Amino acid sequence: MQFELTTELVTQVEQLIEQHNDKALKQLLQDFHYADIAEILDELHLKEAMYIIKLLDSETTSEVLMELDEDNREKVLENLSIKEIAEEVEELDTDDAADIIAELPEERRQAVISNIEDAEHQAEIKELLAYDQDTAGGLMAKELVKVYETWTVAGCLRRIRGQAKEVTRVHSIYVVTKDEKLIGRLSLKDLITAKNEQKIADIYISNVDFVYVDEDVEEVARVMQKYDLEAIPVIDQNKTLLGRITIDDIVDVIREEADKDYQLAAGISQDVEADDSIWQLTRARLPWLVLGLFGGLGSVFIMEGYEDALNHYKELFFFTPLIAAMAGNVGVQSSAIIVQGLANDVVKGSLLSRLLKEIGLSLINGAVLGILVILFGQLMGMPLKFSLTIAISMMSVIIIAALIGTFVPIILDKRGIDPAIATGPFITTSNDIFGIFLFFYIAKLILGF
Amino acid sequence: MQFELTTELVTQVEQLIEQHNDKALKQLLQDFHYADIAEILDELHLKEAMYIIKLLDSETTSEVLMELDEDNREKVLENLSIKEIAEEVEELDTDDAADIIAELPEERRQAVISNIEDAEHQAEIKELLAYDQDTAGGLMAKELVKVYETWTVAGCLRRIRGQAKEVTRVHSIYVVTKDEKLIGRLSLKDLITAKNEQKIADIYISNVDFVYVDEDVEEVARVMQKYDLEAIPVIDQNKTLLGRITIDDIVDVIREEADKDYQLAAGISQDVEADDSIWQLTRARLPWLVLGLFGGLGSVFIMEGYEDALNHYKELFFFTPLIAAMAGNVGVQSSAIIVQGLANDVVKGSLLSRLLKEIGLSLINGAVLGILVILFGQLMGMPLKFSLTIAISMMSVIIIAALIGTFVPIILDKRGIDPAIATGPFITTSNDIFGIFLFFYIAKLILGF
């Protein structure tokens, strides 16, 4: 069952397209999952991909569209007519449908919506499009199975058979009052293990997790992970049941969130992939490099200020990359631990105890590294006073870098700014300048040049 | 419903424990989810946490145990007798039970297993403990709902009522032959929408995803994400159904995987948290700092080799932190994009086209940064020849750093080594040394000192 995307397979598909051998193409593709078809399409030229999109039925292609690489999906959508897009959208669950429409250029959006034939589907998609993409409302689907508290188990099963046809997977059955307020849940399991004549009101579980429609998606992800939920109902302030969010959408949120933090730590400011264009990659990377450049030019300034030291202690200048590297590495380590701790909600205790801990940690690390520097100095025949100066100023730089790395993210977080922004080049650059300044300052104090 | 861990709540719990007010404690805690109780326990002293563990019934405490912070769970388990641990394990699903037992010291493991009263549960846990933790077998649970192809829908529903009681959530119903080979699946929804007298053989879906028991967990995560699966059956080479993996376990795998990559990029070599001990944090951070130190000492060596340049071009030495920073930043950016691309399986195309792309990208970035350096030089009144030297050698460093950052992870990946190891300090350090060497080498070629 393991699908593998091989060059042979892609070539085979390309040849069948060239030969216009529709029958063989359909036969080849019908056994593949739509995520696999999307992988094949991502490898084809646009013209070939369009050929397959037009060949297969919209039940399949709509799902394939959802799985395509975002850039490719955009191009495919550009090559579909309003009516064709509306047909695809018709086949999709409301959340995916709304996502597709949101990706369209403003001027096509309205046209596609008005071309959706199913009035209920149309209204639901419109509703979803009104919510902020980063909230529960922007992530939820309208498809869900709900029962009224007044129904019996037998009546329920009968009616669920109707509702369930439209729902890909039944996770939980939500129990509502006659005015649509969420009061509890039932699992399909509970339902089939209950007696036919029992009333829902007597068997439902009132302890139901939910999120409000305007809740941030990251908070929804946190709640669903913490409580191991596979679906969660979404309600408004009046407790009216509006939709549900399933774990597969949350998996994507978690992935994107982790990818974003990782990219920020690596100095990439936008969501880019290895296969994006040079222009996209440049936009994501250049700003951080410019920041690094300014940091480096700042160091040039500082060193020019200490130019006199060149006469007696020229070796000081040989150590600046080392000092900058230590300041940068320590800063990134400290900030990464805090950023991750903040994300997982495990940063507790007072700021003072954290301060003391970082100082203690830096003293240990700094002492070990300092001893290594002194040993290196002895091997190189440097005067002990000089080696000691390097070691002591490096230790000071390490302590300060650790404190900056620790407290900048905490302060950003307290002010409601994503602390992940403080990792990577930001911390590295500021610590570079600060580290080199401190290094020369302390060296001057000790050596007195 | 939103639970919030407040200092007041923790104080209240502490006071009730001190007063030995068991009734009020039970009443307070009974409304909390076990994940919430675990959060409270993580805040208490061990003695207080033990008080609550002993107070609550094992149905609750077993789940609380699973949610505790790993360090705290270890301490709690140390304070429970063999018999008590066996009681907790008895309440857990087989996968969680095996995880708990695997965390115990060798000498207690056997004793706990033999104290499990339910013989089937005991045998299943033993089986799970035999699998490698990083494989599908190490992640799966034995709890699942299966039906034989020969059954009827009505018979199925009757029997499932029995099986389902032991399974927390029914995702899919697996269809097996009489010798336990997996041949397909059914959803509960299919079952309740089918007619009572139909045979399973006539209604089951033969297209079923599965993984082999020795499959790597990361591959299981990839498959489940790609196909949006909420559970996947695990089979052996004979297609015998052995267990199933649910998406909540996969969410943890994805999280841990992302956290690990992030930590490697930030130069932290082990899974540590902000609240770990200074000793644990030192062990995770010091090795990378020592690596950085050696890199810095390497630069010292290189610069001593170019000491003569100090007489005419002392400013060259002021630019070394800038060069090191650019080499480091570019290298980390390139490697992060590749590492993420490899993880998401989107790095395609030939090595040659990737080479050309990285060179093109570096030329653009390098040109912009070079112009900024020349402008800076003009502002500072540096000779144009000198500014140009800096700009040209910086561009060369950027190109080489990008190539190293791109190809080191690709090569590691091809050799079966986790490419994430090549991000962060590893790339930064090697690029620092290499960048500074190249910088002076090119400067010497142009300026001829």
Side-chain angles (χ1 to χ4, degrees):
Chain A
M1 73 115 222
Q2 293 290 36
F3 169 82
E4 212 188 323
L5 185 71
T6 59
T7 332
E8 291 75 43
L9 178 61
V10 175
T11 315
Q12 191 188 352
V13 171
E14 283 172 338
Q15 281 169 352
L16 290 174
I17 293 172
E18 209 182 328
Q19 299 157 7
H20 291 267
N21 191 340
D22 293 357
K23 204 179 144 201
L25 256 180
K26 274 190 189 167
Q27 195 146 27
L28 177 69
L29 296 175
Q30 73 179 2
D31 288 336
F32 292 140
H33 188 279
Y34 45 76
D36 297 329
I37 300 179
E39 273 195 8
I40 299 173
L41 261 57
D42 276 332
E43 291 301 298
L44 298 178
H45 291 114
L46 180 61
K47 223 175 130 186
E48 297 164 334
M50 289 309 302
Y51 188 90
I52 291 181
I53 296 274
K54 305 231 170 184
L55 177 71
L56 302 178
D57 55 71
S58 57
E59 201 180 321
T60 308
T61 53
S62 60
E63 299 288 354
V64 171
L65 265 182
M66 288 308 298
E67 300 290 330
L68 278 185
D69 191 89
E70 210 176 310
D71 301 343
N72 292 333
R73 179 165 59 238
E74 197 187 316
K75 284 184 210 137
V76 168
L77 287 172
E78 275 169 20
N79 278 277
L80 289 176
S81 70
I82 297 288
K83 219 178 137 47
E84 284 167 327
I85 299 177
E87 273 166 23
E88 303 284 357
V89 162
E90 203 96 42
E91 295 290 340
L92 290 170
D93 279 354
T94 47
D95 54 342
D96 290 340
D99 288 346
I100 287 268
I101 293 176
E103 282 180 21
L104 295 174
E106 192 85 49
E107 64 276 15
R108 301 189 84 188
R109 257 181 246 170
Q110 264 317 312
V112 169
I113 294 173
S114 28
N115 266 279
I116 299 170
E117 285 176 13
D118 181 334
E120 196 189 338
H121 201 54
Q122 190 189 54
E124 288 178 343
I125 292 169
K126 268 191 189 163
E127 181 198 332
L128 291 183
L129 282 169
Y131 298 114
D132 182 342
Q133 295 252 17
D134 293 328
T135 64
L139 205 61
M140 72 182 184
K142 298 296 292 179
E143 287 82 3
L144 53 79
V145 177
K146 70 178 172 198
V147 296
Y148 293 88
E149 54 174 335
T150 49
W151 290 358
T152 61
V153 167
C156 240
L157 279 171
R158 207 170 51 238
R159 275 142 163 156
I160 282 179
R161 281 174 200 192
Q163 290 185 34
K165 277 184 189 134
E166 286 164 27
V167 181
T168 324
R169 276 175 287 208
V170 178
H171 293 85
S172 265
I173 299 159
Y174 301 118
V175 182
V176 293
T177 60
K178 65 176 187 310
D179 49 351
E180 308 290 338
K181 297 211 188 317
L182 178 73
I183 54 168
R185 68 187 157 91
L186 266 181
S187 68
L188 258 189
K189 193 184 99 182
D190 298 330
L191 206 56
I192 65 164
T193 51
K195 294 199 185 69
N196 277 339
E197 61 280 10
Q198 280 185 291
K199 273 261 195 304
I200 297 301
D202 299 328
I203 62 164
Y204 81 84
I205 303 154
S206 62
N207 189 354
V208 57
D209 292 299
F210 57 81
V211 287
Y212 289 106
V213 69
D214 54 0
E215 188 72 82
D216 190 275
V217 286
E218 286 182 41
E219 178 60 19
V220 179
R222 206 189 58 78
V223 169
M224 290 187 73
Q225 273 184 86
K226 179 174 167 189
Y227 299 120
D228 285 346
L229 304 176
E230 288 173 357
I232 195 163
V234 180
I235 61 172
D236 66 12
Q237 295 300 330
N238 300 321
K239 290 217 142 204
T240 310
L241 179 61
L242 296 178
R244 69 152 184 186
I245 294 172
T246 50
I247 189 74
D248 52 323
D249 295 322
I250 291 299
V251 168
D252 297 339
V253 170
I254 294 170
R255 252 244 114 84
E256 280 162 25
E257 210 34 53
D259 281 359
K260 205 187 71 189
D261 282 2
Y262 179 68
Q263 291 185 326
L264 282 173
I268 310 165
S269 60
Q270 287 172 38
D271 191 16
V272 286
E273 284 181 3
D275 287 338
D276 282 349
S277 71
I278 287 190
W279 171 233
Q280 284 171 308
L281 287 166
T282 302
R283 274 199 308 177
R285 292 170 62 164
L286 191 56
W288 292 114
L289 295 179
V290 171
L291 177 70
L293 184 81
F294 286 147
L297 295 178
S299 310
V300 173
F301 253 124
I302 292 168
M303 281 187 266
E304 286 193 331
Y306 287 100
E307 208 174 335
D308 297 343
L310 271 174
N311 301 323
H312 299 290
Y313 301 105
K314 56 177 192 284
E315 287 92 352
L316 273 185
F317 291 84
F318 302 165
F319 278 90
T320 51
L322 185 149
I323 295 299
M326 293 325 263
N329 287 347
V330 168
V332 169
Q333 286 182 336
S334 302
S335 67
I337 289 180
I338 289 295
V339 166
Q340 212 160 53
L342 291 169
N344 297 332
D345 215 9
V346 294
V347 178
K348 287 153 194 161
S350 74
L351 285 182
L352 181 68
S353 68
R354 193 157 299 282
L355 181 87
L356 292 174
K357 189 172 182 180
E358 276 299 317
I359 293 178
L361 188 65
S362 311
L363 279 173
I364 297 174
N365 284 341
V368 174
L369 298 166
I371 290 168
L372 289 173
V373 164
I374 292 169
L375 285 176
F376 175 82
Q378 293 303 97
L379 278 173
M380 301 286 291
M382 288 177 187
L384 186 61
K385 192 179 173 190
F386 183 78
S387 307
L388 268 173
T389 304
I390 304 276
I392 290 170
S393 41
M394 188 181 68
M395 272 183 77
S396 319
V397 168
I398 287 175
I399 292 173
I400 300 294
L403 293 180
I404 293 177
T406 302
F407 289 100
V408 169
I410 291 181
I411 292 164
L412 288 180
D413 188 57
K414 287 222 164 125
R415 305 201 160 202
I417 303 168
D418 184 352
I421 200 100
T423 52
F426 188 84
I427 284 285
T428 321
T429 305
S430 52
N431 278 359
D432 270 11
I433 306 183
F434 207 78
I436 286 171
F437 171 75
L438 198 68
F439 172 67
F440 278 100
Y441 187 82
I442 293 174
K444 188 171 184 175
L445 282 184
I446 302 177
L447 299 171
F449 44 80
Chain B
M1 73 116 225
Q2 294 290 33
F3 169 82
E4 212 188 324
L5 185 71
T6 58
T7 332
E8 290 75 43
L9 178 61
V10 175
T11 315
Q12 191 189 354
V13 170
E14 284 172 337
Q15 280 170 353
L16 290 174
I17 292 171
E18 208 181 328
Q19 298 158 8
H20 291 267
N21 191 341
D22 294 356
K23 205 180 143 200
L25 255 181
K26 274 190 188 170
Q27 194 145 28
L28 176 68
L29 296 176
Q30 74 180 1
D31 289 335
F32 292 139
H33 187 281
Y34 46 75
D36 297 328
I37 301 179
E39 272 194 8
I40 298 172
L41 260 56
D42 277 332
E43 292 302 296
L44 298 177
H45 291 113
L46 179 62
K47 223 175 131 188
E48 296 164 335
M50 291 309 301
Y51 188 92
I52 290 180
I53 296 275
K54 306 231 170 184
L55 177 71
L56 303 178
D57 56 71
S58 57
E59 201 181 320
T60 307
T61 54
S62 60
E63 299 287 356
V64 171
L65 265 183
M66 288 309 298
E67 299 291 331
L68 278 184
D69 190 270
E70 209 175 312
D71 301 344
N72 291 333
R73 179 165 58 239
E74 195 187 320
K75 284 185 210 138
V76 168
L77 288 172
E78 275 169 19
N79 278 276
L80 289 176
S81 70
I82 297 287
K83 217 176 139 46
E84 283 166 330
I85 299 176
E87 273 166 23
E88 303 285 358
V89 162
E90 202 97 42
E91 295 291 340
L92 290 170
D93 278 354
T94 47
D95 54 342
D96 290 340
D99 287 346
I100 286 267
I101 292 175
E103 282 180 22
L104 295 174
E106 192 85 52
E107 65 275 15
R108 299 189 85 189
R109 258 181 243 170
Q110 264 317 312
V112 169
I113 294 172
S114 31
N115 266 278
I116 299 171
E117 285 176 13
D118 181 335
E120 196 189 338
H121 201 54
Q122 189 190 53
E124 288 177 343
I125 292 170
K126 267 190 188 163
E127 181 197 332
L128 291 184
L129 282 169
Y131 298 115
D132 183 341
Q133 295 252 16
D134 292 329
T135 64
L139 205 60
M140 72 181 185
K142 299 295 291 179
E143 287 81 4
L144 53 78
V145 177
K146 70 177 174 202
V147 297
Y148 293 89
E149 53 174 337
T150 48
W151 289 359
T152 61
V153 167
C156 240
L157 279 170
R158 208 171 49 237
R159 274 141 163 157
I160 283 180
R161 282 174 201 192
Q163 289 186 35
K165 278 187 185 129
E166 285 164 27
V167 182
T168 324
R169 276 175 287 210
V170 178
H171 293 84
S172 265
I173 299 160
Y174 301 118
V175 182
V176 293
T177 59
K178 65 177 187 311
D179 49 351
E180 308 290 340
K181 298 214 190 311
L182 179 73
I183 53 168
R185 68 187 158 91
L186 266 181
S187 69
L188 257 190
K189 194 185 97 181
D190 299 329
L191 206 57
I192 65 165
T193 51
K195 295 200 185 70
N196 277 339
E197 60 280 10
Q198 281 185 289
K199 274 259 199 297
I200 297 301
D202 299 327
I203 62 164
Y204 81 83
I205 303 154
S206 62
N207 188 355
V208 56
D209 293 299
F210 57 81
V211 287
Y212 289 105
V213 68
D214 54 0
E215 188 71 82
D216 190 273
V217 286
E218 285 181 43
E219 178 61 18
V220 179
R222 206 189 58 76
V223 169
M224 290 187 73
Q225 275 184 86
K226 179 174 168 190
Y227 300 119
D228 284 345
L229 305 175
E230 289 173 357
I232 196 163
V234 180
I235 62 172
D236 65 13
Q237 295 300 330
N238 301 320
K239 290 218 143 206
T240 311
L241 179 61
L242 297 179
R244 69 152 183 185
I245 294 172
T246 51
I247 188 75
D248 53 321
D249 295 321
I250 291 300
V251 168
D252 297 340
V253 170
I254 295 170
R255 250 243 114 86
E256 280 164 24
E257 212 33 55
D259 281 359
K260 203 187 74 193
D261 282 0
Y262 179 69
Q263 291 185 324
L264 282 172
I268 310 165
S269 61
Q270 288 172 37
D271 190 19
V272 286
E273 284 180 1
D275 286 339
D276 282 348
S277 72
I278 287 189
W279 171 234
Q280 283 170 308
L281 287 166
T282 302
R283 274 199 309 176
R285 293 171 62 165
L286 191 55
W288 292 114
L289 295 179
V290 170
L291 178 70
L293 183 81
F294 286 147
L297 295 177
S299 312
V300 173
F301 254 125
I302 291 168
M303 281 187 263
E304 286 192 332
Y306 287 100
E307 208 174 335
D308 297 345
L310 270 174
N311 302 324
H312 298 292
Y313 301 104
K314 58 177 192 281
E315 287 92 352
L316 273 185
F317 291 83
F318 300 164
F319 278 91
T320 50
L322 185 150
I323 295 298
M326 294 324 269
N329 286 347
V330 168
V332 170
Q333 285 182 337
S334 302
S335 67
I337 288 179
I338 288 295
V339 166
Q340 213 159 52
L342 290 169
N344 298 332
D345 215 10
V346 294
V347 178
K348 288 153 195 161
S350 74
L351 284 182
L352 180 69
S353 68
R354 192 158 299 283
L355 182 87
L356 292 175
K357 189 171 183 180
E358 275 303 317
I359 292 178
L361 186 67
S362 309
L363 278 174
I364 297 174
N365 284 340
V368 174
L369 298 167
I371 290 169
L372 288 173
V373 163
I374 292 169
L375 285 176
F376 174 82
Q378 293 303 98
L379 277 173
M380 301 285 291
M382 290 177 185
L384 187 61
K385 190 177 176 193
F386 183 79
S387 306
L388 268 172
T389 305
I390 303 276
I392 291 170
S393 42
M394 187 180 69
M395 273 183 76
S396 321
V397 168
I398 287 175
I399 292 172
I400 299 293
L403 293 180
I404 294 178
T406 303
F407 289 99
V408 169
I410 291 180
I411 292 165
L412 288 181
D413 188 58
K414 288 223 162 121
R415 305 201 158 202
I417 303 169
D418 183 353
I421 200 100
T423 52
F426 188 84
I427 283 286
T428 321
T429 304
S430 50
N431 279 358
D432 270 12
I433 305 182
F434 207 78
I436 285 171
F437 170 75
L438 198 69
F439 171 69
F440 278 100
Y441 187 82
I442 293 174
K444 188 171 184 174
L445 282 184
I446 302 177
L447 299 171
F449 43 81

